[in-house]
Amino acid sequence: GYLTYEKLKLLMKRNEDRVNDLHASEEAAKNDVAPKLLEQIAHLYDALLQDARSVAQLPGSNSGDNGTEDDEDEFLLEANANILRLRAQRCYYVARLYALDSVGKHEDAVAMFEQSKLLASRAAEEIAACQDMDESLIESMEALENKIGAAKARSVACAYLAKDGGGGGGSSGASGLATNILKRLDDFEAGQHFSEKFTDAPPALEPIPSKPTFFDIAFNHVCAVPVGALQQHVEEHQEQK
């Protein structure tokens, strides 16, 4: 068990280093991250998650034959915290793959972002309960929650636009497909493709009197009389009768 643990530990360290290198490339690319890079990071976290689960299934801890029950509990606690951390990271990057414009599964991405945020919160609590785990892992989970919030907001907006339509004229209207709002800034949006209209295009019809109001003197006088005064006048004449 000890040799297996050391082997898995070395393998996970190598994959963690590769992930950190890919994270550096991701930060350098900023908003223009290639989908291939996201796929590589997601695959690495998948491999790390499998190794972390293998570590959690090892018999006992890595303290040898002299290990106590408390050592074993601490070992399992750290292993479970590491699993939660890797699950949160993997779920986040899979959600980003779903949120790509070429994939367009924004509603699924929103659900996965929510799950990733829940896992990150649980992982931070588990890591804080461990004595020997690095505190920087807690900070990484907090940073992940901030990134999840921004990515989720973007996916919610894209899901709304995809659900209610892609807009009026221009290239998006001609093809009939919903495109990103940043790609159709010059297209006129009257709002007729949305559940709440901004304006009517063409203008909606308005009801008008059947007779010309300029010559209908009685119509003008009836409209000018206050309703309260007219009602009082009627009641006074009824009492006199």
Side-chain angles (χ1 to χ4, degrees), residues 114-162:
E114 293 177 351
Q115 177 66 13
S116 178
K117 186 174 183 179
L118 177 62
L119 291 172
S121 178
R122 291 175 53 192
E125 294 177 358
E126 293 289 338
I127 294 172
C130 297
Q131 298 178 357
D132 299 331
M133 294 194 73
D134 192 354
E135 293 184 358
S136 63
L137 296 177
I138 301 178
E139 297 177 358
S140 66
M141 291 295 98
E142 293 175 353
L144 178 62
E145 290 186 33
N146 294 332
K147 292 192 294 185
I148 290 171
K152 178 186 173 183
R154 180 183 183 277
S155 295
V156 169
C158 292
Y160 175 80
L161 293 174

Side-chain angles (χ1 to χ4, degrees), residues 13 25 66 74 84 110 134 178 187 199 220:
K13 184 179 183 306
S25 301
N66 297 325
E74 181 68 19
L84 288 173
V110 171
D134 192 354
D187 293 345
T199 184
N220 293 335

Side-chain angles (χ1 to χ4, degrees), residues 9-238:
K9 185 178 178 181
L10 182 61
L11 182 60
M12 291 179 66
K13 184 179 183 306
R14 187 195 68 174
N15 288 333
E16 288 274 11
D17 293 339
R18 293 178 61 188
V19 167
N20 292 333
D21 294 338
L22 293 177
H23 281 322
S25 301
E26 179 188 3
E27 293 179 358
K30 294 184 179 180
N31 295 329
D32 191 17
V33 181
K36 190 67 176 179
L37 180 62
L38 298 177
E39 292 179 5
Q40 292 177 354
I41 296 175
H43 284 312
L44 282 174
Y45 275 121
D46 192 22
L48 284 167
L49 182 58
Q50 293 180 8
D51 294 336
R53 286 172 174 167
S54 299
V55 170
Q57 294 175 358
L58 291 175
S61 65
N62 61 333
S63 56
D65 297 335
N66 297 325
T68 63
E69 185 176 354
D70 293 337
D71 294 333
E72 183 175 350
D73 292 340
E74 181 68 19
F75 173 76
L76 292 176
L77 188 62
E78 292 181 4
N80 291 330
N82 201 30
I83 289 175
L84 288 173
R85 178 180 68 88
L86 295 173
R87 284 180 61 192
Q89 293 281 9
R90 177 184 177 276
C91 190
Y92 168 71
Y93 281 97
V94 172
R96 288 189 61 182
L97 290 173
Y98 277 115
L100 291 174
D101 293 335
S102 57
V103 179
K105 295 183 178 181
H106 301 292
E107 293 183 356
D108 296 336
V110 171
M112 295 198 70
F113 279 132
E114 293 177 351
Q115 177 66 13
S116 178
K117 186 174 183 179
L118 177 62
L119 291 172
S121 178
R122 291 175 53 192
E125 294 177 358
E126 293 289 338
I127 294 172
C130 297
Q131 298 178 357
D132 299 331
M133 294 194 73
D134 192 354
E135 293 184 358
S136 63
L137 296 177
I138 301 178
E139 297 177 358
S140 66
M141 291 295 98
E142 293 175 353
L144 178 62
E145 290 186 33
N146 294 332
K147 292 192 294 185
I148 290 171
K152 178 186 173 183
R154 180 183 183 277
S155 295
V156 169
C158 292
Y160 175 80
L161 293 174
K163 181 178 179 181
D164 287 343
S171 59
S172 60
S175 61
L177 298 176
T179 57
N180 192 301
I181 191 172
L182 296 177
K183 297 179 181 179
R184 47 186 174 83
L185 294 177
D186 297 329
D187 293 345
F188 175 69
E189 293 284 350
Q192 62 267 27
H193 295 277
F194 295 85
S195 58
E196 298 180 1
K197 291 186 177 180
F198 304 137
T199 184
D200 292 320
L205 300 177
E206 297 182 0
I208 60 174
S210 60
K211 298 179 180 180
T213 58
F214 181 77
F215 299 102
D216 195 348
I217 300 176
F219 176 80
N220 293 335
H221 279 286
V222 170
C223 293
V225 175
V227 178
L230 182 61
Q231 183 67 26
Q232 184 180 359
H233 179 76
V234 172
E235 292 176 356
E236 290 177 356
H237 282 73
Q238 287 179 351

